[in-house]
Amino acid sequence: MLYREAGDFKTSYPEDSQTFPIAFDRWRYWVVLAIAFLVIPFIINDYWASSLLVPFLIYSIAAIGLNILTGYCGQVSLGTGGFMAVGAYACYKLMTSFPDVNIVFHILISGGITAIVGAAFGLPSLRIKGFYLAVATLAAQFFLVWLFNKVSWFYNYSASGQISAPERFVFGTPVTGPSSPAWAQYLICLVFVTFCALLARNLTRGALGRSWMAIRDMDIAAEIIGVNPLKAKLTAFAVSSFFIGISGALFFAVYLGAVEAGDSFGITKSFLVLFMVILGGLGSIFGSFAGAAFLVILPVFLKIIGVDFLGWPTEMVAHLQLVIVGALIMYFLIKEPHGLAQLWRHAKEKLRLWPFPY
């Protein structure tokens, strides 16, 4: 049996309620972190960083943020791209206004600014929900993109309308700009995704997370038993926007280096992150990683198989990707609403019993 639980006894309540109660899972978690921090930075190259690892880490942060709002609190949002734009433009203004401050603080402050903006746009959730809330957040998406395109102060009156990240250093190594090495970009994104995942995991397991889930399951009953809907919904919007703002700042400063609001943070970006949450699993931190990994790997896999190996036209492969994603979304919404995370839970239960069928 792969999961050896014999002798793995719990002698206290904290041990029984820890994130990984089985010793095998705890060891696997530390092995994954060790490989991510101590092995991959020495073998990574520009292709792996720009095509897979860096976008996977950034989209994972955005998916965690949206999952907190939609999966844990039940508030539908279609404004993820707009909130990522807030984080990106806030980071740009901070980098150009305070060049001597470390880029790490700029990214964290950008997340805080996005949290304030997200809480402001979350105020309608106190009166509306469901489809109407989705439309309200969709309006926020279009308004924020229009704002960053039309108000030239946000892009420092540049003639092109684009924002470009200046070179910034962490411990003497450039992490932004054209000269930043792949391993440095990967490591700074990895540090932020680890911080965000641990923070999200602790928040969702605490009193605040239980209030979010109570609002999600039945808001009227939650209010009757003492949950403050104002606090629960606005904190969900604020925490979600904080993570999304960090992902937007990393997406602009570390990954792309130069962005334009309409092209980089349009409605397509909002739907992409939403699809990651749906495929990965609502209400699951692991599901956010699984959905982000799937939608980042899928186009690369299809290009290698379809274009490079089979010789299909690029347009055909792009359309095939849309067909596959749409079919999977319909399948998961009908057959497995909890997504890839639920399939992983079922697989672990099977491994705990293997080779016995009962």
Side-chain angles (χ1 to χ4, degrees), residues 288-352:
S288 302
F289 286 98
F294 181 82
L295 287 184
V296 169
I297 293 174
L298 179 63
V300 178
F301 174 78
L302 290 178
K303 177 184 179 299
I304 294 174
I305 298 298
V307 178
D308 299 338
F309 185 71
L310 298 177
W312 293 348
T314 306
E315 296 80 5
M316 178 180 175
V317 174
H319 293 158
L320 179 62
Q321 176 187 343
L322 297 177
V323 172
I324 292 175
V325 172
L328 286 174
I329 289 174
M330 289 189 293
Y331 172 80
F332 278 113
L333 288 177
I334 296 172
K335 293 293 185 179
E336 190 53 82
H338 296 289
L340 296 172
Q342 186 67 13
L343 297 180
W344 175 243
R345 283 191 287 266
H346 288 324
K348 289 200 301 181
E349 290 299 321
K350 295 292 184 181
L351 289 175
R352 292 176 69 179

Side-chain angles (χ1 to χ4, degrees), residues 2 4 48 66 68 74 100 128 133 138 161 166 169 177 179 187 213 215 281 307 322 326-327 334 341:
L2 296 179
R4 300 186 61 86
W48 284 95
L66 184 60
I68 286 176
D100 297 329
I128 59 178
L133 181 60
L138 185 63
F169 298 82
S179 62
L187 271 183
M213 289 182 278
I215 292 293
V307 178
L322 297 177
I334 296 172

